[in-house]
Structure formats: structure tokens, C-alpha cells
């Protein structure tokens, strides 16, 4: 039996404790960060102001007038230790389908508009990502990217932004690409970006440096609360959820966009139980079992 990575704690001024589980991105580290921060929220410890889970770390902000740094650190170490045994960890999460129009004209337009900031200005972002990952066939690339489930490991930056990392793959199987040399000043709303091994969907128009490979037909933020699934929080992303892309064409994209505008679109979701232990033991096979016929 193995334990999840050991955590290193550091004080950040008088109000923060930063917990680093690992310096490199590991799914196991993210599982632990999610488990610890979930438990912290459940305990409602007086003096804790905010709890933020990241890719392989977490941050706790506290009021030193209510709880001392040392007392809080003792709480964190105790919780962290109990969440290091994968046999005791289970998550209730959702699989969410993301209809995606790959290599769409808007993403392509933004590629060329900011080509002076790109590592390969003669290629669109989509072409560049294909090239650096050894793909020569567009459909083969789309199939590979869309068949992979992605775990939401962190949310932040712009509200609603979710970093998602491929599940069940070996390092040499992961589609990844370098970011822009300097960020774009604009990125299309719902643009699907790839930077390193992480994917994001830009919730609104704004700056960005990830390679644009397509566009989501559905929003990840609903500020008007028109869509049933987003009425409670306005945000689609939840750390620990799994996003699965479904390739669509222009006609399907327009149909879904129309349903979104009228509030009629219904997100395809499925509740599942996720076991870090089974993931560690079975890898890709476990991911296939989780996804089923989704």
C-alpha cells in the first residue's frame, strides 16, 4: 500500500499558510488537496477566512486574532495526515459533457491576429498544437483530444476558469503545447485553450496565452442565471469534476448556441463516485469504467 505525497507547510506573512504537496503536477497530489480542503470546510474552524485548492497545493487564509498560526498548523497537519491514505478517500463528482467545435473560424482568426506573439507565427494555434504533438491528420487529433476525460484540478484567474488535466494517461500520451511568447490582449469567450498539459475554457473575452484549439458551444459561466444547471452558483466548474469533450460541427454548434440563448439547453451530466485508490491501481482501465458509455 502507498500513501499520497507528503505535504510541506510554509507561512505567508501573518494571515496565510501555504501547503505544497508536490512541485510537479500529479493527479495524486490534486486528490489530496481536494480531500484536505473539503474536510477543512466541513469543520468550520473559527478564524479561517478562506480555503483555496490548487493543482498540487492549497492555501489557507486565517485571522490571527482568532486562531494562532501554530494552532492552525496543528489542525492542518492532523487533517493532512488523515487524507494521506488513499483507501479512505472517495469523492462524489460529476462528469460533464462539453460540446466543442474544433478548429473553428473564430479561434483561427484570433490565432492570426496575434501571430506576432506566437512561437510559430506561420501556423494557426490548432495547426501548431497538432505539429508539436506529432499529428498530421486533423480528425485523429480531435479524436485523441476528445476521447480523453479531464479532471478539474483548479479554478481561478477569471471567475469560472477551470484548469483541467488529462486522466489515465502516461506522460508520453498527453497532448501538450507551449504557451504564447507573450499573452494575447484578447481571447474569444468560450475559447478552448491548451497550455502545457492543461486545458481551459475562457469564460469571458479577455487576455490569455494558451493555444486556441476550438470553442465550446456552451458557457461555463451564466451571469443571467438562465440555464437550469447554473442557477445556484452561475459557474459550471467544480474542482474534482470531470469534463469530457464531444466534437461537433458548425450546424450543431449553432443549434446548441441557440438553445443556450433561449435558456432551453440542458447540460449532460452524470454523478459518479471517484476512488483515488482504484485510479492509482488500475489507471486507464479505471477511467474507462468510470466513463462507461458517457
Amino acid at each position: 500500500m502507498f500513501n499520497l505525497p507528503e505535504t510541506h507547510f510554509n507561512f505567508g506573512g501573518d494571515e496565510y499558510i501555504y501547503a505544497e504537496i508536490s512541485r510537479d503536477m500529479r493527479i495524486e497530489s490534486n486528490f489530496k488537496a481536494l480531500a484536505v480542503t473539503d474536510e477543512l470546510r466541513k469543520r468550520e474552524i473559527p478564524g479561517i477566512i478562506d480555503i483555496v485548492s490548487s493543482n498540487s497545493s492549497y492555501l489557507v487564509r486565517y485571522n490571527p486574532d482568532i486562531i494562532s498560526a501554530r494552532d492552525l498548523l496543528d489542525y492542518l497537519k492532523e487533517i493532512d495526515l488523515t487524507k494521506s491514505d488513499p483507501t479512505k478517500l472517495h469523492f462524489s463528482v460529476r462528469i460533464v459533457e462539453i460540446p466543442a467545435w474544433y478548429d473553428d473560424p473564430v479561434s483561427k482568426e484570433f490565432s492570426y491576429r496575434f501571430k506576432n506573439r506566437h512561437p510559430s507565427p506561420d501556423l494557426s494555434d490548432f495547426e501548431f498544437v497538432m505539429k508539436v504533438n506529432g499529428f498530421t491528420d486533423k480528425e485523429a487529433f480531435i479524436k485523441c483530444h476528445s476521447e480523453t476525460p479531464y479532471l478539474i484540478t483548479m479554478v481561478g484567474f477569471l471567475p469560472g476558469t477551470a484548469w483541467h488535466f488529462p486522466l489515465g494517461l502516461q506522460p508520453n500520451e498527453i497532448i501538450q503545447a507551449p504557451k504564447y511568447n507573450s499573452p494575447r490582449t484578447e481571447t474569444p469567450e468560450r475559447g478552448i485553450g491548451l497550455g502545457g498539459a492543461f486545458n481551459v475554457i475562457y469564460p469571458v473575452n479577455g487576455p490569455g496565452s494558451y493555444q486556441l484549439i476550438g470553442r465550446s458551444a456552451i458557457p461555463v459561466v451564466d451571469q443571467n442565471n438562465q440555464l437550469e444547471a447554473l442557477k445556484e452558483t452561475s459557474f459550471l466548474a467544480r474542482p474534482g469534476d470531470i469534463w469530457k469533450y464531444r466534437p461537433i460541427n458548425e450546424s450543431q454548434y449553432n443549434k446548441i448556441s441557440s438553445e443556450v440563448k433561449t435558456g432551453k439547453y440542458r447540460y449532460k451530466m452524470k454523478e459518479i463516485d471517484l476512488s483515488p485508490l482504484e485510479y492509482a491501481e488500475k489507471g486507464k482501465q479505471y477511467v474507462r469504467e468510470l466513463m462507461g458509455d458517457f
Side-chain angles (χ1 to χ4, degrees):
M1 185 57 61
F2 70 96
N3 278 350
L4 297 175
E6 181 182 355
T7 304
H8 300 277
F9 297 93
N10 294 282
F11 294 108
D14 296 328
E15 296 183 2
Y16 296 90
I17 294 179
Y18 172 65
E20 182 181 77
I21 301 169
S22 61
R23 293 198 170 183
D24 56 334
M25 175 56 208
R26 298 172 58 187
I27 291 292
E28 295 84 358
S29 299
N30 190 252
F31 286 152
K32 183 172 179 178
L34 291 172
V36 171
T37 51
D38 282 349
E39 180 64 21
L40 270 176
R41 293 187 187 96
K42 289 176 184 176
R43 293 197 183 189
E44 299 181 341
I45 298 170
I48 290 182
I49 298 171
D50 201 5
I51 303 163
V52 180
S53 174
S54 184
N55 294 319
S56 55
S57 60
Y58 55 93
L59 182 72
V60 180
R61 185 184 179 191
Y62 63 96
N63 184 339
D65 293 329
I66 298 176
I67 186 170
S68 73
R70 291 297 171 184
D71 285 345
L72 177 55
L73 184 58
D74 287 341
Y75 273 120
L76 294 181
K77 287 183 176 180
E78 181 263 319
I79 294 171
D80 196 275
L81 183 62
T82 64
K83 301 302 178 182
S84 292
D85 183 355
T87 63
K88 298 178 181 179
L89 299 186
H90 291 86
F91 300 107
S92 178
V93 302
R94 306 173 305 176
I95 302 173
V96 182
E97 181 185 85
I98 308 292
W101 183 8
Y102 287 90
D103 196 24
D104 66 291
V106 173
S107 298
K108 195 174 296 185
E109 174 198 339
F110 275 78
S111 295
Y112 291 126
R113 189 190 304 179
F114 294 97
K115 65 180 181 179
N116 61 320
R117 301 168 184 243
H118 199 275
S120 291
D122 56 323
L123 299 175
S124 71
D125 289 12
F126 186 89
E127 293 167 337
F128 175 70
V129 174
M130 279 187 57
K131 181 178 179 180
V132 298
N133 286 280
F135 287 91
T136 56
D137 180 73
K138 175 178 175 178
E139 295 308 316
F141 171 81
I142 293 173
K143 183 174 187 292
C144 183
H145 184 270
S146 62
E147 285 185 347
T148 301
Y150 296 87
L151 179 74
I152 296 179
T153 57
M154 185 177 77
V155 296
F157 185 51
L158 293 171
T161 305
W163 280 262
H164 39 294
F165 190 83
L167 273 176
L169 301 184
Q170 297 299 315
N172 65 335
E173 298 176 308
I174 295 174
I175 294 175
Q176 49 191 311
K179 298 188 290 184
Y180 273 52
N181 294 335
S182 61
R184 297 177 300 273
T185 55
E186 281 190 88
T187 302
E189 176 190 357
R190 292 178 282 105
I192 300 167
L194 181 70
F198 287 94
N199 290 255
V200 298
I201 297 176
Y202 289 89
V204 295
N205 186 296
S209 60
Y210 281 24
Q211 305 291 338
L212 295 171
I213 60 172
R215 205 164 181 218
S216 168
I218 59 175
V220 293
V221 174
D222 179 20
Q223 297 176 340
N224 298 318
N225 296 115
Q226 288 183 311
L227 297 166
E228 186 66 33
L230 306 188
K231 281 187 176 178
E232 285 188 18
T233 66
S234 299
F235 303 115
L236 178 62
R238 296 180 185 176
D241 277 359
I242 297 170
W243 283 3
K244 178 71 165 54
Y245 288 98
R246 175 171 67 89
I248 58 174
N249 57 31
E250 181 178 5
S251 174
Q252 293 169 311
Y253 178 92
N254 291 334
K255 181 177 183 296
I256 293 172
S257 296
S258 177
E259 292 175 351
V260 168
K261 287 179 181 177
T262 58
K264 295 180 180 179
Y265 182 77
R266 295 294 178 264
Y267 290 79
K268 182 181 177 182
M269 299 180 181
K270 176 184 177 182
E271 297 275 351
I272 61 165
D273 290 321
L274 175 62
S275 165
L277 178 63
E278 289 192 70
Y279 178 82
E281 291 180 339
K282 299 163 67 175
K284 190 180 292 187
Q285 176 59 35
Y286 178 62
V287 174
R288 281 197 290 262
E289 293 170 6
L290 275 181
M291 301 304 294
D293 58 356
F294 190 87

